[in-house]
Amino acid sequence: MTSKVTAVGKTVDEAISLGLGQLGVTRDQVEVNVLEHPSKKFLGLFGGREAKVELSLVRSGRVPEETAAQVAPIVEAENNRSTSTRLGSPNSAAPGPMKAEASAHAESAPRREQPNPVMLAPDEAESLSDETTGARPMERYHEAADFIREVAGAMGLDVEVDVRKNRDGGLLDISGPELGMLIGRRGQTLDALQLLAGVVANKGSDKFVRLTLDAENFRRRRAKTLEDLADRLAERVVRTRKEVVLEPMPPQERKVIHARLQNHPEVDTGSRGEEPNRRVVITLK
């Protein structure tokens, strides 16, 4: 069996997944060496290239040091944290590698996002434990919240992160001054931080947990903006009898457009192109 492979992908996690497929092993059986980080992975500071990783088989039962998400010294500090489980502490869960979410971006049956998360009772949320590591989801969300505080601190921001549980996973709500730096243009920085927080929350676990990162109700305000845009463009399509092609959007924003117009009596929506340039198209029925 090949003991070492090199793989590339749009993200470090994608490259790792491809490498694992080539070796035919699981994440805890390899040591990961990140050779090149992808472009614009964090705050748009990296060059225009794909991620490149080297995976080497290991025979020990330990969990290799996670190098999939490196944000200057902050992520290095996360990598040095112990992977041992300390039950009873809200921040003791060992975070783990983010697993691929092919179904997370599915657009075949879009639905309207709920403006307010449906909250579970504390005892119900806490009872959803990770059988593999013994770490409960809420503990892993708190670990991700600590990571966000450290990133914000490195940017000179003093923030609070409120952790809640909803039916879609965990909601990490950031509050504090000058959050525009954490949100970024159209939420691009917030999306990048959400990806990194997910990596932290899933480190060392075979059971994936999903989380959403928000700041100053940005997700809700952005959804409202997109819904208003969808209404205006639908009216234009009806008036001009010509299709409208929107600018490229991330999957979660395309879903908002689809959901808003799915019951419209005169227009249909679809998607065209490949990521990251996939666009919503609004046409007459």
Side-chain angles (χ1 to χ4, degrees):
M1 177 185 294
T2 303
S3 61
K4 181 181 295 185
V5 298
T6 301
V8 297
K10 292 181 180 180
T11 66
V12 171
D13 285 302
E14 179 179 305
I16 291 174
S17 296
L18 293 174
L20 292 176
Q22 295 178 42
L23 290 173
V25 297
T26 59
R27 178 65 179 82
D28 61 347
Q29 294 177 288
V30 298
E31 184 78 47
V32 177
N33 180 23
V34 180
L35 302 178
E36 292 183 2
H37 288 277
S39 62
K40 298 181 181 179
K41 188 63 178 178
F42 181 71
L43 301 180
L45 299 179
F46 296 96
R49 61 176 182 269
E50 290 188 317
K52 184 176 182 181
V53 300
E54 181 182 74
L55 275 61
S56 304
L57 286 176
V58 294
R59 298 186 179 275
S60 63
R62 68 183 181 85
V63 177
E65 183 182 34
E66 179 62 58
T67 57
Q70 184 176 5
V71 186
I74 297 99
V75 177
E76 182 179 355
E78 287 295 325
N79 292 335
N80 293 329
R81 291 191 178 190
S82 171
T83 59
S84 61
T85 303
R86 293 168 292 176
L87 294 178
S89 171
N91 299 324
S92 62
M98 174 173 289
K99 295 185 183 286
E101 294 181 75
S103 62
H105 302 323
E107 299 174 24
S108 58
R111 58 182 176 83
R112 186 184 302 278
E113 293 188 346
Q114 296 297 325
N116 294 310
V118 179
M119 308 306 297
L120 298 180
D123 56 345
E124 183 181 1
E126 288 296 328
S127 66
L128 302 175
S129 62
D130 184 331
E131 297 177 358
T132 302
T133 63
R136 293 174 176 175
M138 285 300 291
E139 295 173 344
R140 295 159 66 184
Y141 296 140
H142 279 288
E143 191 77 17
D146 287 342
F147 169 76
I148 294 300
R149 293 187 188 96
E150 291 181 18
V151 172
M155 298 170 66
L157 303 177
D158 183 15
V159 303
E160 292 295 329
V161 183
D162 180 39
V163 180
R164 288 174 282 167
K165 187 76 171 61
N166 59 31
R167 295 192 183 277
D168 293 325
L171 174 63
L172 277 60
D173 192 10
I174 307 174
S175 60
E178 301 180 11
L179 292 184
M181 292 178 61
L182 288 179
I183 295 174
R185 181 176 179 268
R186 297 180 180 174
Q188 291 177 344
T189 304
L190 192 66
D191 289 341
L193 287 173
Q194 178 173 298
L195 176 61
L196 295 171
V199 172
V200 171
N202 286 287
K203 183 178 180 181
S205 172
D206 292 332
K207 191 170 183 179
F208 180 81
V209 295
R210 184 179 304 164
L211 61 80
T212 301
L213 190 63
D214 201 0
E216 293 184 336
N217 290 320
F218 171 80
R219 302 290 186 193
R220 188 182 305 175
R221 290 185 286 109
R222 178 62 176 166
K224 180 62 168 60
T225 298
L226 292 172
E227 288 176 345
D228 292 343
L229 174 65
D231 291 341
R232 293 197 304 271
L233 294 180
E235 292 177 1
R236 181 193 300 178
V237 170
V238 172
R239 184 177 67 254
T240 64
R241 320 300 289 180
K242 296 180 180 180
E243 72 175 24
V244 170
V245 181
L246 281 70
E247 65 180 12
M249 293 180 179
Q252 62 270 23
E253 294 194 352
R254 297 198 301 270
K255 283 186 178 182
V256 175
I257 302 293
H258 291 312
R260 183 66 174 182
L261 300 179
Q262 64 180 342
N263 296 321
H264 195 286
E266 298 183 78
V267 302
D268 280 328
T269 63
S271 295
R272 183 181 300 170
E274 301 295 332
E275 299 290 359
N277 296 313
R278 195 161 174 79
R279 305 164 183 261
V280 173
V281 182
I282 305 175
T283 59
L284 282 172
K285 284 187 175 179

